[in-house]
Amino acid sequence: MKYDRIDSNLYIANRKKFTDKMTANTLAVFNSNDIYPISADSTMPFQQHRDILYLSGVDQEESMLVLFPNASNPAHREVLFLKETSELIAVWEGEKLTKETAFLTSGIKTVYWLQQFPTIFKQMMAEAQGVYLNANEHLRANTEVETREDRFIKQVKQDYPAHQVYKSAPIMHKIRSIKEAVELELMQRACKITEAGVRRLLAFIKPGVWEYEIEAELAHEFLRNRSKGFAYTPIIASGKNACVLHYIENNQQCQDGDVILLDVGAEYANYASDLTRCLPVNGRFTARQKAVYNAVLHVKNEAQKLLVPGTMMAEYHKQVGALMEEQLVGLGLISMEDIKTQNPDWPAYKKYFMHGTSHFLGLDTHDVGLWHEPISAGMVFTCEPGIYIPEEGLGIRLEDDLVVQSSGAPFNLMGDIPIEAEAIEELMNA
Ligand code: GLY
Ligand code: MN
Ligand code: MN
């Protein structure tokens, strides 16, 4: 692990949040991710499943967590099953968790090796009336790959057909959405690493530089600050590329007179940061570029004021739509006539601003959370309005990460990163 060990009290508290919501006489199981193959003997770098990580801190493959608060054997109320480590594994793969370091990491006293799972799980299930299974219920999840968790769910349903099945996902979405102070510190650290990367770019970006050279500068700065790297595939999009919302080729040369959109964020200890800034390649915005930039900044400044306890996300997105509509009329991009005759399911402003304004942020970039419940203190959202004008070769999006406070305006974890157009010009020409 590149990050410092996190205090196990975080995981003890997180498990309590989950078990407090469990029905009596049930147990819950959480699986790690697989190591995903490429071909031959190559694999992708391991990424832990965020739920087992949130509940145990175990950042290792082939791990399982069982929570059974009513187990008659007190040692079985919370149990980790880990891949058995050995001196041979230590030589080839490096250090894996021992029973002792697993306890130091998670605060869980009972640690078995994975090969003991079938026998011990059978005993536990014989005593339990029901089982919580952890299906992926993220609204945007869209993958054909069967995960380790998916395989486990199939197996349990086959082996234990008489048990009542419960859903872990709604509980996880609720508890993960409200961040503990320790988590906010880790997210702030991820944002500070992103800031270091962006500051490095202010003097680096010039006409003629290539998008991938910018990506390399960021990767360098992130890694030297103990991040594993980008929290998500970076978007480094100059000129018209900025109008492709998920542009990740990052293979074009930046031209004099263009604006470059950077949607980039470092991870730290598996927590994501998510930033977007737009910089003029030659250090100065044109009058038109600045007008569009300031329109987006105005919408962002007004929108983020709405990220307060009690706001409903559906209502928030409607209000941001109205803010954006006003700006697009001011820029001459849509007319009052367009608005009068618009399709209410796809309002006129969507021609230039076609994505959502905010998403939950945390261990996942598009983090889990309950979209139909009111916003509460401790939630973290991005705020990221944009205007995309392909006919002008210009796309502007501005994005910060905001912590909802119990009262007053949200706290901006990216608040030290310059955002005013003039401040950016000044720094690029210093
Ligand atoms: N970078 C992904 C997003 O902004 O949602
Ligand atoms: Mn985002
Ligand atoms: Mn982003």
Side-chain angles (χ1 to χ4, degrees), residues 151-199:
R151 293 198 301 277
F152 177 76
I153 289 171
K154 267 194 198 164
Q155 193 66 49
V156 167
K157 287 180 134 180
Q158 185 183 309
D159 293 351
Y160 299 96
H163 279 70
Q164 182 80 35
V165 170
Y166 296 90
K167 303 199 308 178
S168 297
I171 303 178
M172 291 307 297
H173 290 200
K174 192 169 179 85
I175 64 180
R176 275 181 53 188
S177 71
I178 303 201
K179 273 62 182 176
E180 292 285 332
V182 178
E183 296 186 278
L184 293 175
E185 279 167 27
L186 295 166
M187 293 182 74
Q188 180 67 84
R189 183 149 174 187
C191 291
K192 291 308 275 184
I193 297 172
T194 301
E195 176 181 350
V198 169
R199 288 194 182 275

Side-chain angles (χ1 to χ4, degrees), residues 274 359 382 384 399:
D274 188 2
H359 55 79
T382 63
E384 50 180 305
E399 176 174 25

Side-chain angles (χ1 to χ4, degrees), residues 291-306:
V292 177
Y293 189 101
N294 284 334
V296 175
L297 184 57
H298 173 79
V299 173
K300 178 179 167 291
N301 287 339
E302 293 304 308
Q304 68 194 37
K305 290 183 196 160
L306 304 172

Side-chain angles (χ1 to χ4, degrees), residues 140-154:
R140 289 163 73 167
N142 178 24
T143 168
E144 292 184 3
V145 177
E146 188 174 63
T147 63
R148 200 172 175 86
E149 196 81 79
D150 295 335
R151 293 198 301 277
F152 177 76
I153 289 171
K154 267 194 198 164

